[in-house]
Amino acid sequence: MGRNESPATLLSAEQDPRWAAVLARDPAADTQFVYAVRTTGVYCRPSSVSRLPRPENVVFFDTAAQAEAAGYRPSKRAAADQTRLAEQHAALVERACRQIADAEQSPNLNQLAERSGMSPWHFHRVFKAVTGLTPKAWADAHRADRVRSRLTDTGTITEAMYDAGFNSNSRFYENSGKLLGMKPSDYRRGGANADIRFAVGECFLGSILVAQSQRGVCAILLGDDPDQLVKDLQDQFHNATLIGGDAQFEQLIARVVGFIEAPGLGLDLPLDLQGTAFQQRVWQALARIPAGTTASYAQIAERIGAPKSFRAVAQACGANSLAVAIPCHRVVRSDGALSGYRWGAERKRQLLDREAQANACNSLALEKP
């Protein structure tokens, strides 16, 4: 058979309905399949202006990745086509996102795919590749943002409910905890009725504030001025009841400081993460970076299935309010250089140096007889 082709691919192209799209050089088919040529070892998009091959030498594949896995390489025109296709996909997904944002009720997958001229399966894959989220996750994140925005302006809770696409009180209140982390009325009043316990301590990085809601640790802030850290917490939860930590809470901040001083101890705490679906996927990926190692923004984007979203990854790192617990300090530029850090580049360097030293000490300890 030559290359990695199944017997089904050896049927004459003339027996395949896709051959008609190749003969017509139909650009609408570019998102549906590629064709490869056995005699040249390359593959093309249906709209390619390359000289048409003999049909008995043609093999069809659903995707370029499948053609490359079978041993074919992209033609020069195919490489250019891939760039053009990526641009087409980006524009298509942008239109779908506007459709979701403008709709009173979130459209379902079939409706979005039909509007885009794709099968539901293919549209789902393209949407996730461009945004890093499934269409449903993007719609949910957009809905959460609309709820937050509407509740913080002059609108009522009922207006926020309908504006976000909920058509019943029960569904809205059933999802409000997941969307907001608290009751809608409390969120609207800046965290009213929410108790936030906090304490400020000192570590080799300077001052550190640890705050905990009923759901878990909701803030770990670093800085030079303890009073400014408390002010930052008040700005974040401006109507919550802030309660200074008691002796029991002091043990929590001691655990955090102990982890910063000795990263090998680990830090296993319940966290109250409040962010969009994309931000939470990024933060989960950061939490999986081992202490003493780093990853680039592009690598994190790859790991969450959104290779083109490295700028959005950087923004999610900047939005992280849980220093060290969500280790955004372990993310560096592609060339390994340190980049921006919410709590200062020098603290980022110190954290990485401390973790590297801890790893080196552990290695030496293991080597001893």
Side-chain angles (χ1 to χ4, degrees):
M1 292 184 188
R3 293 179 174 82
N4 300 324
E5 301 162 9
S6 65
T9 64
L10 300 181
L11 296 175
S12 171
E14 292 177 303
Q15 301 175 33
D16 193 306
R18 291 173 288 189
W19 179 242
V22 175
L23 292 176
R25 304 187 193 279
D26 182 5
D30 284 351
T31 61
Q32 301 172 15
F33 68 91
V34 299
Y35 71 90
V37 184
R38 295 189 184 91
T39 52
T40 62
V42 301
Y43 67 86
C44 305
R45 298 286 172 185
S47 65
S48 174
V49 296
S50 300
R51 181 179 177 181
L52 289 174
R54 297 172 65 88
E56 60 267 24
N57 294 325
V58 170
V59 188
F60 292 107
F61 295 94
D62 291 336
T63 66
Q66 291 176 358
E68 292 175 9
Y72 292 94
R73 66 184 187 280
S75 66
K76 291 182 179 179
R77 287 191 176 90
D81 287 346
Q82 287 179 348
T83 299
R84 180 166 58 86
L85 184 63
E87 293 172 350
Q88 291 174 349
H89 283 172
L92 180 150
V93 169
E94 183 180 0
R95 289 196 298 271
C97 289
R98 285 202 301 269
Q99 182 182 354
I100 295 172
D102 294 341
E104 291 186 6
Q105 297 290 331
S106 296
N108 60 38
L109 178 60
N110 289 336
Q111 291 170 327
L112 292 169
E114 182 179 1
R115 177 86 176 268
S116 302
M118 294 181 173
S119 69
W121 176 86
H122 189 48
F123 173 79
H124 188 278
R125 186 182 63 180
V126 168
F127 191 98
K128 186 174 181 180
V130 174
T131 66
L133 300 172
T134 66
K136 184 180 185 305
W138 195 94
D140 288 345
H142 176 73
R143 173 180 284 186
D145 289 340
R146 286 172 68 176
V147 171
R148 294 189 189 100
S149 176
R150 201 73 174 100
L151 286 174
T152 52
D153 63 20
T154 57
T156 66
I157 293 175
T158 300
E159 288 172 337
M161 175 185 76
Y162 286 112
D163 187 53
F166 291 96
N167 54 18
S168 72
N169 286 333
S170 59
R171 285 192 62 231
F172 177 63
Y173 283 97
E174 179 183 346
N175 288 274
S176 62
K178 180 179 179 182
L179 292 175
L180 306 172
M182 62 187 71
K183 293 180 180 179
S185 57
D186 294 343
Y187 185 91
R188 188 167 183 262
R189 296 195 298 271
N193 297 325
D195 290 341
I196 306 292
R197 285 179 164 75
F198 75 96
V200 178
E202 295 293 325
C203 63
F204 78 94
L205 295 171
S207 299
I208 179 172
L209 180 149
V210 179
Q212 185 179 43
S213 69
Q214 294 178 345
R215 290 171 174 262
V217 177
C218 57
I220 299 177
L221 310 179
L222 300 172
D224 298 317
D225 183 356
D227 292 336
Q228 183 60 48
L229 294 182
V230 176
K231 184 178 182 301
D232 291 342
L233 182 67
Q234 289 173 331
D235 290 342
Q236 185 173 349
F237 301 98
H238 55 277
N239 279 329
T241 301
L242 301 185
I243 303 172
D246 53 19
Q248 184 177 0
F249 192 87
E250 296 289 345
Q251 296 177 8
L252 176 64
I253 196 169
R255 287 178 61 188
V256 177
V257 171
F259 169 71
I260 294 175
E261 301 287 349
L265 295 175
L267 185 64
D268 184 16
L269 294 173
L271 303 179
D272 182 3
L273 295 174
Q274 296 186 23
T276 67
F278 182 85
Q279 287 173 335
Q280 296 209 30
R281 291 182 63 205
V282 172
W283 297 338
Q284 290 166 6
L286 300 185
R288 291 192 287 270
I289 304 175
T293 64
T294 59
S296 69
Y297 296 104
Q299 287 173 327
I300 295 298
E302 288 278 357
R303 292 175 190 178
I304 65 171
K308 297 180 182 179
S309 300
F310 54 90
R311 289 186 181 87
V313 168
Q315 292 171 349
C317 290
N320 171 36
S321 60
L322 287 161
V324 303
I326 302 298
C328 52
H329 63 278
R330 296 175 190 160
V331 187
V332 297
R333 291 185 351 195
S334 295
D335 60 3
L338 300 186
S339 55
Y341 184 54
R342 178 172 176 174
W343 293 282
E346 178 58 23
R347 286 191 177 89
K348 184 171 188 172
R349 184 191 64 76
Q350 290 177 305
L351 281 166
L352 292 174
D353 287 348
R354 180 63 62 100
E355 291 181 354
Q357 291 170 5
N359 280 2
C361 291
N362 289 339
S363 297
L364 288 174
L366 291 174
E367 292 175 1
K368 291 182 179 180

